[in-house]
């Protein structure tokens, strides 16, 4: 792995599907820090970008490198240095956690003995030691996701791609998986639409919107425009607001909330959710 | 960088691991699948025996070996597509050192292992009905090896082109019935016209059945089917290796 932190570099990366849909529209970016997170709504292009970078899908145009290796020219080298855990990946129900992680490691070049031992250690690290010999269809949703995180931990890959690793999990399972992700000693490229997850784990965040990078920076950078503000939610129209569903949302100074409370509005503290919600709302400086 | 020797060793390890996990483990943890895979060939054996008053039982027994292994391999297209579309199992290995050949051969071997209980049952029945000679058994083993490569390749080609999970099991079922029951697997190949035999030879089960019937001395030789069998096995394997989608466009 390179000593510097320039893990992924993209230049004018574009993906246009055969039906004409443009999933990625000439995006360019460099990652920064250990955990980089791509946030965006469903269909924003997160999975497409992850699949292209992890050599599962060809881009239509543009270039990208991972630790200096080109995703179209150095495919074998990249595949040796990365792990990609697909969105909604599910373990084979008939195999145990130990067998699945072991088989994955054997695929990455471990000997049978080393794969067995490394799989055991990774599963124990994630608290699955007592369950590692049960068929996966007897495990909870959180435990099943942890099997994939165990693959990432045990692989000791330079770069790990995790595509929506906690989608569909209950809050406790999500926290368990987040703890597990922190155990991965690699550069991580994470996609999620859970803002709490991005806020909790990321060094650097990219907001992807309709195939374009709409915002980027550290969590603090992204929240800077909201400094000293709170979110106001109302069922009736309020000034400078955006309508989402049946709700009107606005951002006001934390000292100006009294009149909104009198009107029965709900006041909420700012979170990374607001980077999303505020698209279309003018945030006054 | 790995040397070519290391790459070869790595591939074989993964192939063995996948075959063992997805073949051998299933035998013990999902025995209902084994019974399900044997049910169609055994039912046909019973029907053919009854309708022919026992005169075609040798054909049905020899065909049973081929029908069993072909139906398991062909219906596996459902498995392979399900693993790709629903479980994202294939995606997990695309972004790794595993090549499409490793994956395909590993899955194919798992189906061979998975077929073993049925093959043993047929071997017992064959011994009871005294159909075996050493030469015929050796020929049958060779034919079955080629057959599993050909049918698994077809499975892999079809599975990689299925785009929606809802179509997975329907297509697998149709393929399994049309390509194993329709050909002269369980009846003498001379019963159908030549044009139909050649048309059915698009599925490797047909030349395999013709050759097996020849090897067991049940039907006259037909050398053309030997050439067809070899050529189409190579073609299907090459198509599966080079034309199926591993990295998507």
């Amino acid at each position: 792995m390179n000593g510097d932190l320039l893990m992924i570099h993209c230049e004018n990366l574009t993906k246009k599907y055969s039906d004409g849909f443009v999933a990625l529209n000439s995006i360019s970016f460099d990652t920064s820090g250990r955990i980089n997170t791509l946030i965006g709504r469903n269909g924003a292009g997160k999975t497409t970008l992850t699949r292209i970078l992890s050599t599962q899908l060809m881009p239509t145009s543009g270039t990208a490198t991972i630790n200096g290796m080109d995703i179209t020219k150095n495919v074998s080298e990249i595949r040796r240095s990365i792990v990609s855990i697909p969105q909604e990946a599910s373990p084979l129900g008939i195999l145990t956690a130990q067998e699945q992680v072991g088989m994955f490691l054997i695929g990455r070049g471990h000997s049978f003995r080393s794969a067995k031992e490394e799989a055991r250690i990774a599963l124990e690290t994630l608290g699955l030691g007592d369950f590692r010999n049960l068929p996966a269809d007897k495990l909870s949703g959180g435990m099943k996701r942890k099997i994939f995180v165990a693959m990432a931990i045990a692989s000791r890959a330079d770069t790990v791609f995790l595509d929506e690793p906690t989608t569909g999990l209950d809050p406790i399972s999500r926290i368990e998986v987040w703890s597990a992700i922190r155990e991965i000693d690699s550069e991580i490229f994470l996609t999620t639409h859970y803002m709490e997850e991005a806020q909790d784990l990321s060094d650097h965040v990219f907001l992807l919107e309709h195939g374009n990078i709409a915002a980027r920076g550290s969590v603090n950078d992204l929240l800077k425009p909201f400094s000293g503000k709170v979110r106001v939610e109302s069922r009736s129209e309020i000034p400078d607001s955006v309508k989402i569903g049946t709700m009107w949302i606005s951002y006001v100074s934390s000292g100006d909330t009294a009149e909104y409370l009198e009107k029965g509005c709900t006041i909420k503290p700012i979170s990374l959710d607001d980077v999303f919600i505020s698209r279309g709302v003018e945030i006054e400086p | 960088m790995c040397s070519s020797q290391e790459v070869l060793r790595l591939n074989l390890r993964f192939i063995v691991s996948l075959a063992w996990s997805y073949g051998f483990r299933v035998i013990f943890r999902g025995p209902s699948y084994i019974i399900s895979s044997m049910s169609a060939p055994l039912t046909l054996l019973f029907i053919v025996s009854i309708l022919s008053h026992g005169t075609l039982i040798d054909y049905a027994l020899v065909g049973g070996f081929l029908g069993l292994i072909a139906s398991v391999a062909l219906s596996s297209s459902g498995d392979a597509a399900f693993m790709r579309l629903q479980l994202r199992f294939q995606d997990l290995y695309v972004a790794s050192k595993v090549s499409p050949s490793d994956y395909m051969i590993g899955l194919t071997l798992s189906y061979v292992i998975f077929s073993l209980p049925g093959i043993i049952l047929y071997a017992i029945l064959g011994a009871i009905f005294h159909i075996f000679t050493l030469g015929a058994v050796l020929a049958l083993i060779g034919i079955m090896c080629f057959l599993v490569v050909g049918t698994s390749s077809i499975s892999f080609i079809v599975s990689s082109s299925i785009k929606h999970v809802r179509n997975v099991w329907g297509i697998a079922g149709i393929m399994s019935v049309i390509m194993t029951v329709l050909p002269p697997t369980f009846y003498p190949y001379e019963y159908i016209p030549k044009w139909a035999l050649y048309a059915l030879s698009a599925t490797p089960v047909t030349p395999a059945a013709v050759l097996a019937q020849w090897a067991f001395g049940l039907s006259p030789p037909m050398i053309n089917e030997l050439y067809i069998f070899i050529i189409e096995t190579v073609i299907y394997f090459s198509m599966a290796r080079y034309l199926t989608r591993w990295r998507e466009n």
Side-chain angles (χ1 to χ4, degrees):
Chain A
M1 190 168 66
N2 288 348
D4 57 59
L5 287 171
L6 183 64
M7 180 179 70
I8 297 170
H9 168 75
C10 286
E11 213 167 295
N12 302 322
L13 203 61
T14 299
K15 180 65 191 179
K16 189 175 179 182
Y17 286 105
S18 53
D19 61 2
F21 177 71
V22 179
L24 295 176
N25 188 13
S26 192
I27 62 168
S28 300
F29 68 89
D30 290 319
T31 55
S32 162
R34 193 174 77 85
I35 302 184
N36 285 266
T37 301
L38 197 59
I39 58 175
R41 297 184 65 181
N42 293 331
K46 302 187 298 296
T47 296
T48 298
L49 179 56
T50 305
R51 297 191 77 217
I52 287 174
L53 293 175
S54 59
T55 73
Q56 296 172 62
L57 183 68
M58 288 292 285
T60 307
S61 62
T63 56
T65 58
I66 297 175
N67 295 324
M69 296 176 284
D70 190 291
I71 57 158
T72 54
K73 294 174 187 156
N74 309 108
V75 176
S76 303
E77 292 90 338
I78 288 178
R79 287 178 177 171
R80 273 195 274 271
S81 70
I82 66 167
V83 162
S84 180
I85 305 299
Q87 186 188 152
E88 293 170 359
S90 232
L92 297 171
I94 208 151
L95 299 183
T96 66
Q98 170 80 40
E99 288 162 352
Q100 321 226 24
V101 179
M103 184 163 70
F104 181 76
L105 293 177
I106 287 165
R108 294 189 60 81
H110 286 244
S111 66
F112 291 113
R113 181 176 296 190
S114 144
K116 192 175 175 185
E117 183 61 10
E118 294 289 337
R120 183 188 63 76
I121 293 169
L123 290 166
E124 280 177 358
T125 304
L126 297 177
L128 286 180
D130 293 339
F131 306 96
R132 66 192 171 91
N133 291 319
L134 287 179
D137 56 11
K138 291 193 172 175
L139 302 179
S140 68
M143 287 173 170
K144 285 177 185 167
R145 290 307 301 176
K146 280 188 189 175
I147 292 175
F148 293 100
V149 179
M151 289 175 184
I153 290 177
S155 69
R156 301 178 204 278
D158 293 344
T159 308
V160 171
F161 293 88
L162 296 169
D163 191 5
E164 298 190 11
T166 56
T167 297
L169 296 185
D170 64 66
I172 301 290
S173 300
R174 285 222 300 269
I175 292 169
E176 285 176 349
V177 172
W178 294 347
S179 310
I181 289 172
R182 286 195 198 90
E183 297 292 326
I184 301 173
D185 187 25
S186 310
E187 310 281 3
I188 296 173
F189 192 80
L190 176 78
T191 77
T192 184
H193 47 220
Y194 292 124
M195 295 306 106
E196 199 187 346
E197 184 166 302
Q199 204 156 355
D200 205 57
L201 294 172
S202 316
D203 294 314
H204 205 81
V205 177
F206 298 88
L207 170 60
L208 198 60
E209 204 174 62
H210 306 302
N212 295 291
I213 303 271
R216 70 184 81 191
S218 66
V219 172
N220 285 341
D221 290 340
L222 294 177
L223 293 179
K224 216 170 265 174
F226 300 93
S227 178
K229 296 187 184 304
V230 289
R231 184 163 94 210
V232 180
E233 294 178 359
S234 170
R235 292 212 168 268
S236 55
E237 189 168 359
I238 48 177
D240 299 324
S241 61
V242 63
K243 192 178 183 198
I244 298 176
T246 57
M247 194 77 78
W248 295 89
I249 294 175
S250 182
Y251 295 93
V252 300
S253 293
S254 49
D256 299 338
T257 55
E259 63 170 304
Y260 292 98
L261 284 169
E262 273 175 25
K263 288 180 188 167
C265 299
T266 306
I267 308 295
K268 289 187 175 169
I270 295 295
S271 73
L272 209 48
D273 279 341
D274 297 289
V275 177
F276 251 127
I277 294 167
S278 67
R279 312 291 303 166
V281 184
E282 197 65 39
I283 309 291
E284 288 179 17
Chain B
M1 291 283 285
C2 294
S3 70
S4 58
Q5 229 178 353
E6 281 170 331
V7 170
L8 184 65
R9 199 163 59 227
L10 159 76
N11 291 351
L12 289 176
R13 275 200 213 111
F14 176 74
I15 288 165
V16 169
S17 176
L18 179 57
W20 183 261
S21 301
Y22 204 59
F24 188 74
R25 298 290 184 201
V26 173
I27 291 176
F28 291 99
R29 292 181 193 156
S32 62
Y33 295 116
I34 308 292
I35 296 164
S36 151
S37 72
M38 284 192 280
S39 59
L42 284 174
T43 304
L44 284 165
L45 171 66
F46 179 76
I47 292 170
V48 169
S49 304
I50 295 295
L51 292 180
S52 70
H53 303 288
T55 58
L56 295 181
I57 195 163
D58 290 1
Y59 288 90
L61 276 171
V62 172
F65 283 99
L66 307 177
L68 178 79
I69 205 152
S71 66
V72 168
L74 288 167
S75 56
S76 70
S77 60
D79 267 16
F82 184 75
M83 285 158 76
R84 180 171 61 84
L85 296 169
Q86 193 74 15
L87 305 182
R88 304 284 171 193
F89 184 78
Q90 186 176 313
D91 276 359
L92 198 61
Y93 288 98
V94 171
S96 78
K97 296 176 187 177
V98 173
S99 72
S101 298
D102 304 333
Y103 186 75
M104 196 171 78
I105 294 169
L107 278 182
T108 301
L109 280 180
S110 73
Y111 304 136
V112 173
I113 294 171
F114 183 76
S115 308
L116 283 177
I119 290 170
I120 291 167
L121 178 66
Y122 267 92
I124 292 168
L125 290 172
I128 291 169
F129 286 93
H130 304 290
I131 65 165
F132 295 129
T133 63
L134 182 61
V137 168
L138 292 176
L140 184 63
I141 291 170
I143 291 165
M144 286 167 69
C145 289
F146 266 79
L147 182 60
V148 80
V149 172
T151 47
S152 297
S153 299
I154 292 172
S155 256
F156 208 67
I157 295 164
V158 171
S159 78
S160 83
S161 61
I162 296 175
K163 288 185 176 167
H164 303 289
V165 176
R166 62 177 179 271
N167 298 326
V168 164
W169 306 113
I171 291 173
I174 292 166
M175 271 192 6
S176 180
V177 170
I178 290 180
M179 296 177 93
T180 60
V181 178
L182 208 54
T185 323
F186 298 91
Y187 59 89
Y189 76 80
E190 307 100 291
Y191 280 20
I192 52 172
K194 273 269 172 61
W195 66 264
L197 184 70
Y198 283 121
L200 285 169
S201 292
T203 161
V205 182
T206 301
V210 172
L211 294 173
Q213 288 174 17
W214 172 19
F216 278 79
L218 303 172
S219 296
M222 196 173 174
I223 196 73
N224 284 353
E225 291 292 321
L226 175 63
Y227 303 137
I228 290 171
F229 193 37
I230 293 169
I231 291 167
E232 73 181 4
T233 302
V234 172
I235 289 172
Y236 285 134
F237 181 78
S238 304
M239 283 172 69
R241 171 65 185 83
Y242 297 107
L243 298 184
T244 53
R245 287 180 300 175
W246 187 246
R247 184 184 200 180
E248 292 179 34
N249 285 314

